[in-house]
Structure formats: structure tokens, C-alpha cells
Amino acid sequence: MTLWGGRFSTKLNQQAWDLNSSLPVDQRMALQDIDGSLAWAGAIHQAGVLADKEHASIALGLDTVRKEFASGQFIFQPSDEDIHTAVERRLTELIGDAAGKLHTGRSRNDQVATDFRLWMLGAIPELQSALKNLQNALVERAELADATIMPGYTHLQRAQPILLAHWWLSHVQPLQRDVERLNDLVKRVSVLPLGSGALAGVPFEIDRVALAESLGFADVSQNSLDAVSDRDFAAEYLFCASLIGIHLSKLAEQIVLFTSAEFGFFELADAFSTGSSLMPQKKNPDVFELTRGKAGTLLGLLTGLLAALKGLPSTYDKDLQEDKAPVFQATDTLLAILPVIAEALRTITVKAERMRNAIDSSMLATDLADYLVNKGVPFRKAHEVAGRVVRAGGERNVSLEKMPLEAYQAESPAFEADVYQVFDPMKSVEKRNAIGGTSLQSVKNQIKKIKGE
Ligand code: ARG
């Protein structure tokens, strides 16, 4: 049974049918389709389209269909074109002709947009809780890191000493923005399209505000032509997912780098490492490489949907059926990655010695310039003098803390014997105590704020 057989003399070609069918993808929205249908039955009952008995029979039938889906007993038929058809076909089997009244005033165009939004309203909190779990893992690592210091990098060149805790937390912040971005998106997802009909609106007296409330929507769409074709929410969702992917890829890239023998800052637990089929010694960070790689896939899903939306004429076009697969895939991808990397980070070993030893005194050249500033030298001049000192050290092949005082004084008379105090990296860290800096206190405050204390 198709929902549109009347005007055709022959059946749809089988391969065209297969191309047209969206059931393999949209069956994930079965429960949302039933919720939407129940609410719609209520609305057309209120409008006088359904008699009390018909309404009761539809509601009971839909409840049975829901139970069949929930228990995995629902059986699809080859004639089920999409989830909407499948639910209506089964309802007809269960209650007979009254089922034929359910679709009054409704189109699959407003129905599918409603189902999809309902599905997303359920997926967003799931994604947020997976993000929060990863944030918690990162905060736990930051708390464990205590006063461990490591080199901070710019351009991937050693730059200044920082607290490892500060580095962990630098990955919590983008995820916090992701959580908030998703909250913001909810406002635009939670707008009910049902009651838009195929495109022009509904000719019965439907209280769409009450309908929205019954389905948990915060608002009602204001233009039926827009409502059936608006997929901004799907594009935004995929943008959020892509940006999460990009944030995770940045973290993942550094775990890959820092677990290499060249850095040796971290070692992954065996449970989160993979081996090589050829080289017995290998311990590979596949989990993080996949995280990095899947960020590319997520970005592709976003650009794919945007490309499908570009240039579409007003209202529903079948191109829009391409909207769900990328959203589902993006969700599955993130829900697969997030818990794994959270656990991989919870079980990672920190090589604090290696981190500490990677800090050399040239990374305190900025502090050397600041030292001169404290002695009254203008910063521009101080920067140049410190640069000359670094160069002199390089030429003599001696590190800054081992350079004799005369060598310093040859560059500036402002240098005194206390200059060697500059080369304590912890002092450098502790000086950066303003909000957002890497000092112990500042990082403690950051943790408090993240935890909402
Ligand atoms: N399976 C369709 C989709 O996902 C449902 C809407 C069909 N509408 C139509 N006019 N053929 O977009």
C-alpha cells in the first residue's frame, strides 16, 4: 500500500521504489512518528474531524504500534515506503478504516519535519551528557596534574612553561561552548511545523499552540511554506557536530603527538592502544587518530547537507529526504567517540619528568625581558636585549642559566646577580596569576568556575 496510489495506473518501477524509499534511514524515528500522530489525532478530534470513538480507537491502536516498536516486534512490510507509511499501514491492520482518518489535514511534509525535530530534541541532551562526561574526565586529569609543568607551544615550537592542568582545561572550555551552542540550538529546533499541511496550511480548526504544547515544543512555525522546508536546524546541528569534531581533533592530534617517543609526555593504557600486525613493538593511538579522522567525515556531512539545500525551490522537495542520514551518522559518530576518549584520558599515564625536562631556560626568555622591565628598561628594548642574550647563549652553546653574569652585563648594565632567579619555570608559571593565566591559583579558580562552585 502506498499513500498515493490513486492517480497511477501502474506500480512504481522496483529500482525507483528502492531509490525512493527512506525506511532504512527514517525507521529510527518510529517513536517520534507515533508521538506526533497521537498528538495530531488529538488535534483533529478537538477540531471535530474525529468522533470520540474514532479518536479512542486511533489512540489505542497507536499505543499498540508503539509497544510493538518498543519490544522489537514490529514487522516491516516491503510496501512500507517510509516510517510514516509503516505506522499508518500497521494502524490500519489493527483498527481498520478509522485509521484512514488520521492523515486528515496532515501531509508527510509537516509530519516528517515534526518527527525529525522531535528526534533531535531527544538527541541533543544525549550529546550534551557525553560531552559533559568528557569534560569531567579532563577536569579530573587537571586536578590530578596538581603542579606538574610542561612546555606550552606556539607554532608547535617551545614557547613558555605552563601547568599541565591548564593544558587539560584548555580542552574543557571549547567543549563548554559546544554544550552551550547546543542549548541555543534547542530554541530553533523546538518550533512545531505540524499543522502546515503539505505547504499551504491546514483547513480545519486546529489549535496549533495547544498541539505544540502537547508535544513539548516551545513555539509554533509562523509560515507554512517555510515550515515544511526549513532544515536550518539540521544544518546547525551538523555544524555543532562538526565543531565538536574539530575540537576533539585538536585534542586528539596532541595526544598522538605527545604519546610519540619523541615527546613521551603521555603513555596510553593498553586498553586504549592498538598494535601492529607486523611490528611487534608498536603501540598505536588509533582511538585518537580515528577521532582526528572522523572530524573530517563530520565536516563532510555538514557540507553535504548544505549543498543539498542550496538552490531548492520553496516548500518540500524530495532532496530534503537527504537530511536525516547525515544527522544520524554525525550523532552516532560522536556518541561512539566521546565515551572512548573520555576513558582513554582517564587511564592515560602522565610522564611528568619528561614534561619537566622538555622545559629549557630559553623558554624563560620572556621572563628575562620582564626582569629587565622590572629594572626600568622599556619592554621593546628589554625584548631586544633578551633576544641578544639568547643568541649569545646559542653561539657559546651554553644555556641561559649557565651563562656568566659578565655575558649578561655585556648586553645590558641592568642585569644583576639576581637574574638567575628568572630560570625557575615554576616562578614563571606563578607570575601568571591574572584570570585565565597558568598560575596554580588561577587554574584552581578555573576549575571552580567549571564545576560551578
Ligand atoms: N520520506 C520523506 C522524507 O524523509 C517524507 C516526506 C515525503 N513527502 C513527500 N511529499 N513525498 O522527506
Side-chain angles (χ1 to χ4, degrees):
M1 178 195 79
T2 62
L3 299 177
W4 38 263
R7 60 109 56 231
F8 295 92
S9 56
T10 60
K11 270 175 50 184
L12 183 63
N13 165 282
Q14 185 56 45
Q15 283 167 317
W17 171 273
D18 293 341
L19 174 65
N20 194 50
S21 165
S22 55
L23 187 63
V25 172
D26 61 28
Q27 58 178 278
R28 275 178 82 150
M29 306 190 305
L31 298 181
Q32 290 75 19
D33 195 71
I34 292 165
D35 286 342
S37 291
L38 261 177
W40 184 246
I44 55 175
H45 175 225
Q46 287 281 313
V49 173
L50 291 182
D52 291 353
K53 267 180 93 175
E54 291 166 331
H55 177 225
S57 159
I58 287 176
L60 205 65
L62 284 171
D63 203 48
T64 306
V65 181
R66 180 202 304 283
K67 284 188 185 124
E68 290 180 357
F69 272 111
S71 62
Q73 278 165 346
F74 188 95
I75 299 166
F76 288 109
Q77 297 300 334
S79 62
D80 295 340
E81 181 185 336
D82 53 26
I83 189 62
H84 326 293
T85 320
V87 170
E88 196 176 321
R89 188 259 313 149
R90 182 66 186 132
L91 184 66
T92 311
E93 287 167 5
L94 289 168
I95 68 165
D97 283 350
K101 290 201 172 182
L102 173 62
H103 211 56
T104 315
R106 183 175 73 166
S107 156
R108 280 181 297 163
N109 298 351
D110 56 350
Q111 185 178 0
V112 71
T114 303
D115 293 3
F116 195 19
R117 285 169 183 266
L118 277 175
W119 184 90
M120 195 176 282
L121 289 172
I124 287 174
E126 252 189 89
L127 214 47
Q128 286 175 317
S129 86
L131 285 167
K132 282 179 189 156
N133 175 47
L134 175 57
Q135 287 183 300
N136 290 343
L138 290 162
V139 172
E140 284 160 37
R141 292 297 348 187
E143 286 174 327
L144 285 171
D146 196 28
T148 303
I149 51 174
M150 70 183 290
Y153 299 82
T154 63
H155 309 265
L156 209 51
Q157 307 289 319
R158 287 177 181 172
Q160 291 182 324
I162 55 169
L163 287 184
L164 170 61
H166 198 46
W167 182 82
W168 284 121
L169 297 174
S170 73
H171 297 286
V172 176
Q173 302 290 349
L175 298 177
Q176 187 52 32
R177 293 193 292 276
D178 291 328
V179 169
E180 288 164 18
R181 217 181 318 278
L182 286 167
N183 276 337
D184 193 61
L185 169 60
V186 167
K187 276 187 269 172
R188 285 175 296 284
V189 184
S190 192
V191 179
L192 179 79
L194 197 60
S196 299
L199 76 162
V202 63
F204 304 99
E205 276 194 38
I206 303 291
D207 181 349
R208 294 191 62 221
V209 173
L211 181 60
E213 266 167 29
S214 72
L215 281 169
F217 280 89
D219 208 348
V220 169
S221 62
Q222 297 296 311
N223 182 307
S224 61
L225 304 179
D226 173 49
V228 292
S229 62
D230 170 17
R231 294 295 185 273
D232 291 6
F233 65 98
E236 276 192 63
Y237 182 89
L238 288 173
F239 173 75
C240 291
S242 300
L243 199 53
I244 293 168
I246 284 165
H247 292 149
L248 298 180
S249 77
K250 182 174 181 170
L251 169 61
E253 163 62 9
Q254 286 169 86
I255 298 292
V256 170
L257 206 59
F258 290 169
T259 52
S260 69
E262 281 68 20
F263 278 86
F265 289 177
F266 294 120
E267 187 177 344
L268 287 176
D270 285 359
F272 291 95
S273 312
T274 37
S276 156
S277 58
L278 180 83
M279 300 165 283
Q281 86 285 7
K282 289 301 290 291
K283 190 170 173 184
N284 294 331
D286 288 29
V287 157
F288 289 94
E289 293 168 281
L290 283 167
T291 300
R292 193 176 55 189
K294 284 176 189 292
T297 306
L298 288 166
L299 182 57
L301 295 171
L302 167 65
T303 54
L305 179 68
L306 287 173
L309 295 176
K310 179 189 171 292
L312 282 188
S314 258
T315 92
Y316 185 82
D317 303 276
K318 196 64 176 242
D319 316 48
L320 293 176
Q321 186 166 280
E322 292 296 301
D323 59 357
K324 285 168 288 297
V327 165
F328 294 161
Q329 189 185 334
T331 309
D332 293 345
T333 300
L334 288 175
L335 292 178
I337 296 174
L338 286 163
V340 175
I341 57 176
E343 279 319 291
L345 295 179
R346 283 192 169 101
T347 53
I348 208 168
T349 302
V350 173
K351 304 285 189 63
E353 273 285 301
R354 289 279 302 188
M355 290 184 178
R356 173 64 187 84
N357 292 340
I359 297 172
D360 64 68
S361 49
S362 74
M363 294 179 66
L364 296 155
T366 311
D367 297 76
L368 194 60
D370 294 340
Y371 165 90
L372 289 174
V373 168
N374 282 331
K375 302 271 177 189
V377 181
F379 180 74
R380 272 294 144 238
K381 177 80 186 150
H383 184 282
E384 194 203 317
V385 170
R388 283 208 308 267
V389 169
V390 170
R391 174 145 54 102
E395 278 161 9
R396 293 165 180 232
N397 199 19
V398 55
S399 66
L400 292 186
E401 81 268 34
K402 301 239 169 72
M403 287 240 295
L405 186 58
E406 307 83 72
Y408 279 99
Q409 287 171 336
E411 301 298 345
S412 166
F415 283 119
E416 293 174 71
D418 61 354
V419 65
Y420 297 98
Q421 292 173 13
V422 164
F423 302 113
D424 175 356
M426 202 57 206
K427 269 206 179 117
S428 163
V429 162
E430 282 298 78
K431 272 193 270 171
R432 285 158 173 87
N433 200 30
I435 297 171
T438 195
S439 78
L440 282 164
Q441 189 53 50
S442 173
V443 165
K444 260 198 196 115
N445 294 344
Q446 200 186 153
I447 291 177
K448 269 196 193 155
K449 192 146 192 214
I450 290 166
K451 289 176 142 185
E453 284 168 5

